Every structure is written in structure tokens, then in C-alpha cells.
């Protein structure tokens, strides 16, 4: 699944539908075997695996049937929480955010504000970074500096958006524009973790802009932290440049 995430970050946008089909081909048979509900005698690892695979199928795989099923189970869980396995609920929320519209965004934002446990709050918080429409992600970015998110949470949200192929350009622009504000508001450790998100900016143009920004601003995150992030970004971009065309041909060959 982590490899699928890497491919998603480096593949050309025109090849994403083929990558989605590839992910569905690899994951759907296992999901069909595991099902959406736990079975008697299952161990905890199998339950966790089910949740991870369902999340991948409905997000990176963009499986429409999985998204429909997720909506049905989520609606049932709001009436009867015991109807959904706790390992599956986070996957349902992630899938619905990935495929969600403004109505779903407003619902999740309200559930974040009304959460009664830290676990519930975090699930809906992270979901706000998982939507695809740019205008919705812009709202999430605004919340990272206007006080709606706690300062210890905000940098992690920016990191998630930098890692998102749907929000990374807007997130990077936000970081550049609001760096001084973020540097003042966020804890230093949080700022370092936020900057880890630059490894998601895996295009040659974005990489050049990242290098220019950090060089001109003379930003120091302490030790070799920034150098390591930039090295990971370089590796991702180099992989994209070296293998991107072959990857596109491979993914589209089976369509």
C-alpha cells in the first residue's frame, strides 16, 4: 500500500486512472475474501488488515462500489455504532472524504468540532485533508492558520496536504506565503514535521521551487533534518524522471 502511495505521487495525472485500475486489480480479490465485516475467531491483525485494504481500495483504487458500500455502512454506523467494526470505521471516513463533496465536507467539519473523544476528533480532523476538490482543501488550509485547528495539530494537517496530489500545489503556495506566521504559531517540532511533507512535492517544477525557497530563506530545521527531506524529494523526482514513461506504458498496457 505504501508503494501504491509513492506511485500515486509520481505518476503523471493522465495515468492515474490506469494506476487506480492496477490498485483495484491487486486489492479487490483480497477484499472480496476478507469481506467488510469481521468473522468469528478472527485475530486483531486480520481486522486491521481489512481496514487498511478497504481504505486503499476506496481511495487510491477509487473503487466506486467500495465508495457506495462505505456510504451505506457509515450511515448505519451513525445510528448504531456497533454495526461497524472499529477497524473499519476509519477506512469508511477516509473513503467518504476522498469521494466527498461540499455537503460531506461540512458534515465532517461539524463532527470534528462536536467530537466527544480525542480519537473521534482526530479521525474527522485528518479527513478534512483527504478531500479532492481544491476549494474544499483551501478551506482546510485556511483553518491551519486562523485558529480553528490547534497549533499542535495544524502542522500535521499541512503535512498531509503537501503529501496529497490534489492539494500539494495549494499547500506549498500556502506554506511559502504564510511561512513567517507558521514559524511563529507552530511548535518547532511541529514545524519540522510539517516540512517533511515536501517529499510529496514530487514534480521537477515543485522540487526546483522548494530548493529555491529554502535556500533563499536560509531555513534551518536543526541537524540534517531538512537535508534528509530534500534528499527524499530528490529520489522521488529522479524516480519519476527515470521510470515515469515506462510506468505509464506498463499501467496502460492492460487497459
Amino acid at each position: 500500500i505504501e508503494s501504491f502511495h509513492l506511485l500515486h505521487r509520481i505518476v503523471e495525472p493522465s495515468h492515474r486512472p490506469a494506476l487506480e485500475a492496477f490498485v483495484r486489480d491487486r486489492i479487490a480479490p483480497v477484499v472480496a475474501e476478507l469481506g467488510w465485516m469481521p468473522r468469528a475467531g478472527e485475530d486483531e491483525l486480520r481486522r486491521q488488515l481489512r481496514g487498511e485494504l478497504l481504505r486503499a481500495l476506496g481511495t487510491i483504487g477509487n473503487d466506486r462500489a467500495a465508495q457506495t458500500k462505505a456510504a451505506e455502512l457509515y450511515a448505519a454506523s451513525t445510528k448504531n455504532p456497533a454495526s461497524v467494526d472499529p477497524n473499519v470505521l476509519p477506512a469508511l471516513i477516509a473513503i467518504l472524504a476522498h469521494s466527498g463533496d461540499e455537503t460531506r465536507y461540512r458534515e465532517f467539519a461539524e463532527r470534528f468540532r462536536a467530537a466527544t473523544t480525542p480519537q473521534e476528533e482526530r479521525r474527522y480532523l485528518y479527513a478534512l485533508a483527504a478531500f479532492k476538490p481544491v476549494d474544499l482543501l483551501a478551506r482546510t488550509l485556511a483553518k491551519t492558520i486562523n485558529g480553528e485547528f490547534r497549533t499542535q495539530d495544524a502542522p500535521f494537517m499541512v503535512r498531509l496536504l503537501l503529501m496529497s496530489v490534489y492539494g500539494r500545489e495549494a499547500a506549498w503556495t500556502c506554506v511559502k506565503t504564510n511561512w513567517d506566521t507558521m514559524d511563529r504559531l507552530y511548535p518547532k517540532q511541529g514545524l519540522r514535521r510539517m516540512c517533511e511533507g515536501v517529499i510529496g512535492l514530487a514534480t521537477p517544477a515543485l522540487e526546483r521551487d522548494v530548493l529555491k525557497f529554502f535556500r533563499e530563506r536560509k531555513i534551518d530545521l536543526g541537524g540534517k533534518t531538512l537535508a534528509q527531506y530534500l534528499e527524499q524529494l530528490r529520489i522521488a523526482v529522479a524516480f519519476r524522471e527515470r521510470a515515469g514513461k515506462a510506468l505509464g506504458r506498463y499501467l496502460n498496457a492492460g487497459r
Side-chain angles (χ1 to χ4, degrees):
I1 292 173
E2 286 302 316
S3 296
F4 291 153
H5 279 293
L6 172 61
L7 295 178
H8 198 232
R9 289 196 293 271
I10 66 103
V11 76
E12 292 294 333
S14 60
H15 296 154
R16 282 181 197 151
L19 176 61
E20 292 167 357
F22 178 79
V23 172
R24 292 194 296 271
D25 180 71
R26 295 303 188 272
I27 291 181
V30 191
V31 168
E33 178 183 345
L34 289 174
W36 289 71
M37 300 294 185
R39 298 167 186 169
E42 277 189 349
D43 58 28
E44 185 63 21
L45 285 178
R46 184 172 290 266
R47 289 172 178 249
Q48 293 174 8
L49 176 63
R50 175 182 290 107
E52 294 299 325
L53 290 172
L54 288 173
R55 181 195 297 257
L57 182 63
T59 57
I60 314 173
N62 201 30
D63 187 271
R64 297 290 190 264
Q67 292 165 2
T68 299
K69 181 70 172 180
E72 294 172 357
L73 290 179
Y74 179 77
S77 75
T78 61
K79 299 175 182 176
N80 177 17
S83 66
V84 172
D85 184 72
N87 291 287
V88 170
L89 182 58
L92 302 183
I93 294 171
I95 292 169
L96 295 181
H98 175 83
S99 58
D101 57 10
E102 181 171 356
T103 299
R104 185 70 73 180
Y105 183 93
R106 284 192 274 107
E107 177 191 357
F108 282 8
E110 179 55 34
R111 288 188 176 274
F112 160 69
R113 287 190 291 268
T116 57
T117 67
Q119 185 180 43
E120 181 185 16
E121 181 185 67
R122 193 160 296 275
R123 283 175 183 167
Y124 288 105
L125 172 68
Y126 290 164
L128 297 179
F131 286 77
K132 291 190 293 185
V134 176
D135 61 324
L136 299 182
L137 295 180
R139 295 185 200 177
T140 300
L141 281 168
K143 297 176 192 293
T144 66
I145 54 176
N146 69 6
E148 290 192 53
F149 296 154
R150 289 190 294 265
T151 54
Q152 62 264 39
D153 294 328
F156 290 92
M157 294 297 289
V158 178
R159 178 187 179 277
L160 287 173
L161 288 161
L162 288 168
M163 298 290 286
S164 164
V165 298
Y166 308 106
R168 59 189 176 187
E169 285 87 358
W172 176 238
T173 298
C174 179
V175 169
K176 291 189 298 180
T177 304
N178 298 284
W179 177 266
D180 291 334
T181 299
M182 293 174 172
D183 190 24
R184 175 174 52 83
L185 291 176
Y186 299 168
K188 295 306 177 187
Q189 181 60 29
L191 198 69
R192 285 193 288 271
R193 289 303 305 276
M194 180 189 79
C195 289
E196 184 182 16
V198 300
I199 67 177
L201 303 177
T203 73
L206 285 172
E207 183 196 22
R208 287 192 296 271
D209 199 42
V210 167
L211 294 174
K212 180 175 181 288
F213 175 77
F214 284 113
R215 182 177 62 250
E216 292 182 350
R217 294 297 300 262
K218 297 181 172 59
I219 293 168
D220 182 8
L221 299 179
K224 297 183 178 180
T225 301
L226 180 57
Q228 291 170 344
Y229 294 160
L230 296 178
E231 181 181 20
Q232 291 179 66
L233 174 59
R234 174 88 291 269
I235 291 169
V237 174
F239 178 47
R240 179 187 185 126
E241 293 176 325
R242 184 183 66 205
K245 291 183 180 179
L247 175 63
R249 288 195 298 270
Y250 176 83
L251 291 174
N252 285 284
R255 298 190 73 195

